[in-house]
Amino acid sequence: MVIAVQSSVNFKMSDAKYFQRGKIHELRTELNSEKKDKQHTKKKTVLKKIVANMTMGNDMSALFPDVINCMQIPVLEIKKMVYLYFINYSRTKPDIAVMAIPTFMKDADDHNPLIRALAIRTMGYINVDKIIDALVDPLRRCLRDKDPYVRKTSAMAVAKLYMHDHELVECEGFVDLLRDMLADPNPTVVANAVAALTEISERSNTITLKLNTTVANKLAAALNECTEWGQTYILEALMSYIPQDMGDAEVLAERIAPRLQHANSSVVLTAAKVIMYLMNYMTKEEDITNLCRKLSPPLVTLLSNGHEVQYVALRNILLIIQRRPEVLRNDIKVFFCKYNDPIYVKLAKLEIMFRLASVSNVDQVLSELKEYATEVDVDFVRKSVRSIGRLAVKIESTADRCIAALLELIQTKVNYVVQEAIVVIKDIFRKYPNQYESIIGTLCENLDNLDEPEAKAAMIWIIGQYADRIENSDVLLDDFLFTFLEEPVEVQLSLLTATVKLFIKRPTAGQELIPKVLKWATEDVDNPDLRDRGYIYWRLLSTDPATAKTVVLSDKPRISTESDNMEPALLDELLLHISSLSSIYHKSPQTFIPNSKIRHLTHSPVLNRRYPGQQQQQPNLLDSDIENLASGSLGIEANPYNLDVVNIGENYVGDLLLDL
Amino acid sequence: MISQFFILSPQRGDTLIFRDYRHDTPRDTSDLFLDKLKTWHKEHGPDQDPPPIFNVDGVQILFTNIQGLYFVCTTKFNVSTFMTFELLDRIASLIRDFCGILSEECVRLNSSLIYELLDEVIDYGYPQTTSTDQLKSVIYEEPVLAKKENIIIDSITKLRAHGTNLGVSSNKPISKPIVNSHDEGRYKQNEVFIDIIERIVAFFASDGMTIHSEINGSIQIKSYLQDNSEIRITLSSNMAHGRDTYNSDDRFGIMFNDYKFHESVDSSDFEGHRQMIIFPPEGEITAMIYRISGDNLPFRIFPQILDVPESPNKIDIIIRIRTDFPEDKIATKCTVIVPLPHITQSVSNEHLDGFADQSARYDSRVRKVFWTINKLKGGTEQSLKIKVGLIFFWFYH
C-alpha cells in the first residue's frame, strides 16, 4: 500500500496536487471511520500511510485536526506516530497545535515513564511559544523524576528550550538544575546533562562551562559506566576543564587513558584530544612521553577501518604529529599507501610519510616514493615526485639519492613528472648550492615540453641563477621571452629577474635582452608587482651597476622544510578541535560555522608556554623579506617553496571536500 | 550535533526515511545531496562516490553508503566526524537487528518502526543509545517482513523478544516498566554465533622482502541468548600484548600491538590469562578488535622480471606465490594483483604450474593483471608468467 502511494512523486506538479487533495480526503475519511476497530489496527494503518507521505515530502498538514483526535488512543505506537506528525507540522499550524496541550500535560504526568519522557521530548521539538510555555512546569518536575529515562530526556529538553528562548531557561533556573544533575547517580543522565550544558555554553554569551578539578574527576570516574555516546559527551566536556595545580592534568589523563581502548572510534579520538590538551598543562617531559606512547597504538588501529574513517583518522594524525611527532615516529610503515586506497587517502598518507621521515627510515620512504611516482594517478604521482624533492631538502644525507631518483624520473619523459621534478630540483639547488649543478644539462633537454607556469618559472630561475655556467643561457632565455607578454605573472617575474641576472653575469650576452624586458615590464604590463620590480632593477642598473650586482647576486636565505608546518596558532586551535569537522578541513570552525565560539588554551599557573612545536620559531618574516628584496626576487623566491608544497596537499583534499 | 538524518535510495532518488531533529537546515537537503551525487557519478563513473564529507551552502553533509542505501546526516555544528560515521553505521545495524535485513523494500515496509527507533536513538541530534538490548524495551512497532526474504530473516527476527499479542498488551502500555518484560520465553533456542575475521595487510619490496605486515582482526558475536548468559572466551595463552614485557622474546608467542573491547566485555583478566568475560547483549556486537604486526605471513610472493632477448619492447614477468601454512589448510579465492607500467601495450598470461582452478585477466583500464586462485593449498607453490608488450619508443635511439 505504501508503495502505491509512492508513484505520486513522479506525477507532474498539478497532477500531484490533485492527487494529494484526493488522497488527503481519502485518508481523512479512513481516519474518522466509525467502523469497529477494537484494537485500533485500522487507525494505525492510516497513520502509517500518513507518515509515509510525510517522508516523501507530501504536505499532510491539512489532516492536523483529524490527527489530533487520535492522541487519546491508548496505543503507544499510535501515540508515537501522532507525535512524529506534530513535530513535522506544528510550526505551520501553531493555532491547531495548541489544542494538543491538555493531552501533552496529561501524558507528562502519566505513571508510565516512557510516556512521560515521550511527552517531554516531543514538546521540546515543537517550537510554538504556547507549547514551550506549557512545557516549563512539567519539565521542572521531570528533571527530578524518579526514573532515569525521564531525567535524561528532560536534560535534553532543556537544551531544546534554550535554543528557543534563552531568557526563559535562565529565568526559570534550568541551568542550575542541569548543573545539579552532574551529580546524578545515573551515568546516562550525567552524560546528557553534560551534553546539554556544553551546547548551552557554546551558544550563550553569558554562560560558559567551566569544570573544577573535583567535578572533572567525578565526570571522568563516571566514564566507565556510560554508554559509548555518553563517554563522548563527557570527554568533550572535559575540554572545558583548566588544570590549576601541578599534577591535576596528569591524574586526569591517567583516568582517561583506558578510553583509548574503546571499540567506538569516536570515544578513542575524543580521548586522544583531551589527552593532547592536558599535555599542555603537564610539567614533566617524562609523563608526556609516557602518554604519547599510549596514544600511538590506538591511533594506528583507527586506520584499519573503512576509507571514510581512515581519511578522518589520517587528517587528525597529521595534526597530532605536527605537535608531537614522537607519537607515531616508529610507525611510519603503516602509512605506506595501498594500491587500492582512494586518492584522498593516498594524498593524506603521503603528507604524513613526509613528516615522519627521518634519517633512520628515509631509505624505506624513498623507495616507496619511487614506486608511487610510477603509478597511474596523475595527482598522486605529482605529489610523490614533489615529496622526493622535499625529502632531499629535509634530510641532507639523502639528497644524493633523491637527486638520482629525480633524474631517473626525468628520463621517463612523462611530461607532468618532468615538470614536477624541475620544480623541486630548483629548491634543491637553493638548499645545496654548488653541489648538483652537473645535472643542469639534463634539465635543459626538457625545455620544450614545459607548459605549467610553476615549472616554467622554476626552469627560468635555474637558467638565470646559472647564466654563467649554461653556455647558451641567452638563447634559452630569448626563447622564453618570445611569449613574455602572454605568460602568467609568475613566469614574467621570473623572466625579469633571470634576464637581469644574465646581464650582470654576462653583460655582452644580456645586453640585447635587458632593455626589451625592462620596457615590457614597466610599460606593457598592468601588474604592479612586475612594474615596480622592473623600475627597481632599471634604476639600480642605471645608477650603480656595482651595487646592482651585489644586490641581485647576494646570498639567498636558506630554505628548509620547517616552514611547511602549519602556523602554530592555527595548529593550537585545531588541536583543540580534534575529531571534529574542522580537523578534517584543517580550518578554524569560525570560517565555516558562523557564531561558533573560539577555543584557545586558557592560561593557568601550570600552562606550558613553550611546547616542542613552537620552540623552533619560524624565521622572522620581516628579516627574510628584506633579504629577498635585496636579492631582487621578492614574491617569487621569498616563500613559494613553503606555500606551494603545502598547498598542493592541503588544498587538494580540502577543495575536494569543500567545493563539491 | 546532527540536524537531520535521512536514508536515500539511489536508484530513483527516493527519500525512504527523513527525520529532522533541529530544524536549522533546509528541508530539501536530500535533493541537494542527490544533485551532488548525480553530478559526481556523471564525472567519475557510477562506482565512485563523492568524498564522505562536504559542504553545501554552509550545511555540512556527511554520508556513508551501506548496502546500496545512502545514510546521510546534515549539520550546522562542528560535529565529531567519527561520532557521525559510527552513528550511521549503528543505525544500519539496528535496522538489521529490528527488521531482519537492510534493504530498500524492508526500510519502506518498516518506516514507522524505523521512525520509532530514530526517536529513541537520537534526541535533538545527540546519539542516545544504540544498544539493541536497551532499545528493545522501548520499541513497540512490529517488524513487517519483506516477503521474498522471509526464510533468511526468520532466525534474525527472533531477536525481537516481543510477544505477538501486542494489540492486547498495548491496550495498557502504561503497565510496562522501563526494564524489558516483554519476554514471553517463546523462543527456546539459545544460540550464539562467533566470527573471527582477520585481514592481513602486507607490503613487499620488489625483491620479495616483507616491508611491513599487519593483521587487523575482529571477534564478532551475534547473540540470540535470552537470559543474559555469560560467555567466556580464552585466547591461546601464548599470546602477549605489546606492552607485556615478560614474554616478549618468546618466538612463538603472538604479540598484540593494540586491542580494543566492546563495552559489554569484562577484560580485567585479559592481561593475565587472555580471558574475556562477555555478557553479550542481543544482536550483533564486535567484542574485540586487535592488531598484530609481524613477519609471519601465510604466503610469500616472488616476482621476477626478464628481458626477452632480441625484443627490446617485450618483457616477461614471472610471479611465484608460495604458501607457508600447513598442508591440510586451503586458502580460498586468493587474488594477486599485478600493476603494469604505463607503456604497456599488450599482455598475455601463461600458467606455469598448471592447475585448473585459477585464472588471470588483464584490465587495461587500470593496467593491472588480476590473478585469481580459487583453492590454494598449504605448502605449495604456484606461478604465473605474464608476457608484456611495451610501446616501442624508437625515437629514443
Short mmCIF file of all heavy atoms in Angstrom, two decimals, chain B residues 40-58:
data_model
loop_
_atom_site.label_atom_id
_atom_site.label_comp_id
_atom_site.label_asym_id
_atom_site.label_seq_id
_atom_site.Cartn_x
_atom_site.Cartn_y
_atom_site.Cartn_z
N TRP B 40 28.50 13.99 -9.50
CA TRP B 40 29.76 13.28 -9.24
C TRP B 40 29.81 11.98 -10.03
O TRP B 40 30.82 11.65 -10.63
CB TRP B 40 29.90 13.02 -7.74
CG TRP B 40 31.23 12.48 -7.36
CD1 TRP B 40 31.62 11.17 -7.36
CD2 TRP B 40 32.38 13.23 -6.97
NE1 TRP B 40 32.93 11.07 -6.97
CE2 TRP B 40 33.43 12.31 -6.73
CE3 TRP B 40 32.63 14.60 -6.79
CZ2 TRP B 40 34.70 12.71 -6.32
CZ3 TRP B 40 33.90 14.99 -6.38
CH2 TRP B 40 34.91 14.05 -6.16
N HIS B 41 28.70 11.26 -10.02
CA HIS B 41 28.67 9.99 -10.74
C HIS B 41 28.86 10.21 -12.23
O HIS B 41 29.47 9.41 -12.92
CB HIS B 41 27.36 9.26 -10.48
CG HIS B 41 27.34 8.59 -9.14
ND1 HIS B 41 26.26 7.93 -8.65
CD2 HIS B 41 28.29 8.49 -8.19
CE1 HIS B 41 26.53 7.45 -7.45
NE2 HIS B 41 27.77 7.79 -7.15
N LYS B 42 28.33 11.31 -12.72
CA LYS B 42 28.48 11.60 -14.14
C LYS B 42 29.96 11.82 -14.46
O LYS B 42 30.46 11.39 -15.48
CB LYS B 42 27.66 12.84 -14.49
CG LYS B 42 26.86 12.67 -15.79
CD LYS B 42 25.99 13.90 -16.04
CE LYS B 42 24.57 13.70 -15.56
NZ LYS B 42 23.80 14.95 -15.54
N GLU B 43 30.64 12.53 -13.56
CA GLU B 43 32.04 12.86 -13.83
C GLU B 43 32.99 11.71 -13.55
O GLU B 43 34.00 11.54 -14.22
CB GLU B 43 32.48 14.07 -13.00
CG GLU B 43 31.93 15.38 -13.52
CD GLU B 43 32.14 16.50 -12.53
OE1 GLU B 43 33.02 16.36 -11.64
OE2 GLU B 43 31.43 17.52 -12.63
N HIS B 44 32.72 10.97 -12.50
CA HIS B 44 33.70 9.99 -12.05
C HIS B 44 33.25 8.54 -12.24
O HIS B 44 33.91 7.63 -11.78
CB HIS B 44 34.04 10.19 -10.57
CG HIS B 44 34.68 11.52 -10.31
ND1 HIS B 44 33.96 12.68 -10.17
CD2 HIS B 44 35.98 11.87 -10.18
CE1 HIS B 44 34.77 13.68 -9.95
NE2 HIS B 44 36.01 13.23 -9.96
N GLY B 45 32.11 8.35 -12.85
CA GLY B 45 31.63 6.98 -13.01
C GLY B 45 30.78 6.59 -11.82
O GLY B 45 30.98 7.10 -10.71
N PRO B 46 29.81 5.71 -12.05
CA PRO B 46 28.83 5.39 -11.02
C PRO B 46 29.41 4.65 -9.81
O PRO B 46 28.75 4.57 -8.78
CB PRO B 46 27.81 4.52 -11.75
CG PRO B 46 28.51 4.01 -12.95
CD PRO B 46 29.56 5.00 -13.31
N ASP B 47 30.61 4.11 -9.93
CA ASP B 47 31.16 3.37 -8.78
C ASP B 47 31.80 4.31 -7.77
O ASP B 47 32.08 3.93 -6.65
CB ASP B 47 32.24 2.38 -9.24
CG ASP B 47 31.70 1.44 -10.29
OD1 ASP B 47 30.47 1.26 -10.31
OD2 ASP B 47 32.50 0.92 -11.08
N GLN B 48 32.08 5.51 -8.21
CA GLN B 48 32.83 6.42 -7.35
C GLN B 48 31.88 7.34 -6.61
O GLN B 48 31.19 8.14 -7.22
CB GLN B 48 33.77 7.27 -8.20
CG GLN B 48 34.95 6.53 -8.76
CD GLN B 48 36.05 6.39 -7.75
OE1 GLN B 48 36.30 7.32 -6.97
NE2 GLN B 48 36.72 5.27 -7.73
N ASP B 49 31.86 7.23 -5.29
CA ASP B 49 31.06 8.16 -4.51
C ASP B 49 31.89 9.39 -4.19
O ASP B 49 33.11 9.31 -4.11
CB ASP B 49 30.60 7.50 -3.21
CG ASP B 49 29.35 6.67 -3.42
OD1 ASP B 49 28.64 6.95 -4.41
OD2 ASP B 49 29.09 5.77 -2.61
N PRO B 50 31.25 10.53 -4.01
CA PRO B 50 32.00 11.72 -3.61
C PRO B 50 32.61 11.53 -2.23
O PRO B 50 32.24 10.59 -1.52
CB PRO B 50 30.94 12.82 -3.61
CG PRO B 50 29.62 12.16 -3.68
CD PRO B 50 29.82 10.79 -4.21
N PRO B 51 33.54 12.40 -1.84
CA PRO B 51 34.12 12.28 -0.50
C PRO B 51 33.01 12.32 0.55
O PRO B 51 31.98 12.96 0.33
CB PRO B 51 35.00 13.52 -0.37
CG PRO B 51 35.27 13.95 -1.74
CD PRO B 51 34.11 13.53 -2.57
N PRO B 52 33.24 11.62 1.64
CA PRO B 52 32.16 11.39 2.60
C PRO B 52 31.72 12.63 3.38
O PRO B 52 30.74 12.56 4.11
CB PRO B 52 32.76 10.36 3.56
CG PRO B 52 34.22 10.48 3.40
CD PRO B 52 34.46 10.90 1.99
N ILE B 53 32.46 13.71 3.25
CA ILE B 53 32.07 14.92 3.97
C ILE B 53 32.12 16.07 2.99
O ILE B 53 33.12 16.24 2.31
CB ILE B 53 33.08 15.24 5.10
CG1 ILE B 53 33.22 14.06 6.04
CG2 ILE B 53 32.67 16.48 5.85
CD1 ILE B 53 34.38 14.18 6.98
N PHE B 54 31.07 16.81 2.88
CA PHE B 54 31.18 18.03 2.09
C PHE B 54 30.21 19.09 2.58
O PHE B 54 29.43 18.87 3.49
CB PHE B 54 31.04 17.75 0.59
CG PHE B 54 29.74 17.09 0.19
CD1 PHE B 54 28.63 17.84 -0.08
CD2 PHE B 54 29.68 15.71 0.08
CE1 PHE B 54 27.45 17.24 -0.47
CE2 PHE B 54 28.49 15.10 -0.31
CZ PHE B 54 27.38 15.87 -0.57
N ASN B 55 30.33 20.24 1.97
CA ASN B 55 29.67 21.41 2.48
C ASN B 55 28.86 22.03 1.36
O ASN B 55 29.38 22.30 0.29
CB ASN B 55 30.79 22.35 2.95
CG ASN B 55 30.30 23.70 3.38
OD1 ASN B 55 29.17 24.10 3.08
ND2 ASN B 55 31.16 24.43 4.05
N VAL B 56 27.57 22.22 1.57
CA VAL B 56 26.75 22.92 0.59
C VAL B 56 26.08 24.09 1.29
O VAL B 56 25.34 23.89 2.24
CB VAL B 56 25.66 22.00 0.01
CG1 VAL B 56 24.90 22.72 -1.08
CG2 VAL B 56 26.26 20.73 -0.53
N ASP B 57 26.35 25.28 0.85
CA ASP B 57 25.73 26.49 1.41
C ASP B 57 25.77 26.51 2.94
O ASP B 57 24.77 26.78 3.58
CB ASP B 57 24.25 26.59 0.98
CG ASP B 57 24.11 26.62 -0.52
OD1 ASP B 57 25.08 27.03 -1.18
OD2 ASP B 57 23.06 26.21 -1.04
N GLY B 58 26.90 26.18 3.51
CA GLY B 58 27.02 26.26 4.96
C GLY B 58 26.44 25.07 5.70
O GLY B 58 26.53 25.00 6.92
#
